[in-house]
Amino acid sequence: MGASEEPPGRGGGGRRANGALENEIIGVLHGADGALTPGEVAERLTASPAHTTVATTLARLHTRGVLGRTPRGRSYAYAPVTDEPGLTARQMRQVMEGGSDRASVLTRFVDELSDDDEDLLRRLLGTEG
């Protein structure tokens, strides 16, 4: 079986990484006017994953604190707990918390910032100069 072939027994669009599905689901929820049920999320995805796959992914994102949920009928409706910049900041913080040497990680992060981003960071920290 070549790299571009689907595994045997898989119909439809094949399998994609969980991260890709999670990112698309979060994007759908950020673009929505309110909380969505798994069925409503599934209708808005570019691929057509099974309803159970969408429901499981939403439940996992809720467990990780990325999504909030409220009962709606026999299901739940899900919504992001923060906006996209807040989600990115949260992910950055989680990566930092997973490292063993925070000082080195922060130093390398700052070293790799563009001049504009470094200036912005200085302004945000109140250490211009």
Side-chain angles (χ1 to χ4, degrees):
M1 173 167 55
S4 64
E5 295 178 33
E6 288 185 22
R10 287 223 177 261
R15 183 182 173 108
R16 61 182 168 169
N18 282 341
L21 179 59
E22 287 180 1
N23 288 337
E24 187 175 1
I25 286 173
I26 291 168
V28 164
L29 291 170
H30 276 293
D33 290 332
L36 300 176
T37 64
E40 292 167 335
V41 170
E43 289 173 1
R44 297 176 187 204
L45 295 173
T46 56
S48 298
H51 182 276
T52 55
T53 301
V54 175
T56 299
T57 303
L58 287 164
R60 287 180 180 158
L61 288 166
H62 173 261
T63 299
R64 291 191 347 233
V66 175
L67 301 177
R69 70 182 184 189
T70 55
R72 185 184 300 164
R74 293 178 17 195
S75 185
Y76 287 104
Y78 294 85
V81 296
T82 187
D83 58 8
E84 289 183 67
L87 179 60
T88 300
R90 178 191 173 129
Q91 291 168 336
M92 291 170 65
R93 189 187 74 247
Q94 288 173 336
V95 168
M96 286 292 305
E97 290 172 353
S100 60
D101 185 354
R102 293 175 76 103
S104 292
V105 172
L106 276 172
T107 299
R108 289 185 186 200
F109 176 75
V110 171
D111 285 346
E112 294 181 17
L113 290 175
S114 69
D115 289 342
D116 289 343
D117 286 343
E118 189 173 341
D119 289 342
L120 174 59
L121 183 58
R122 286 183 193 281
R123 286 193 305 275
L124 292 171
L125 294 173
T127 59
E128 291 185 64

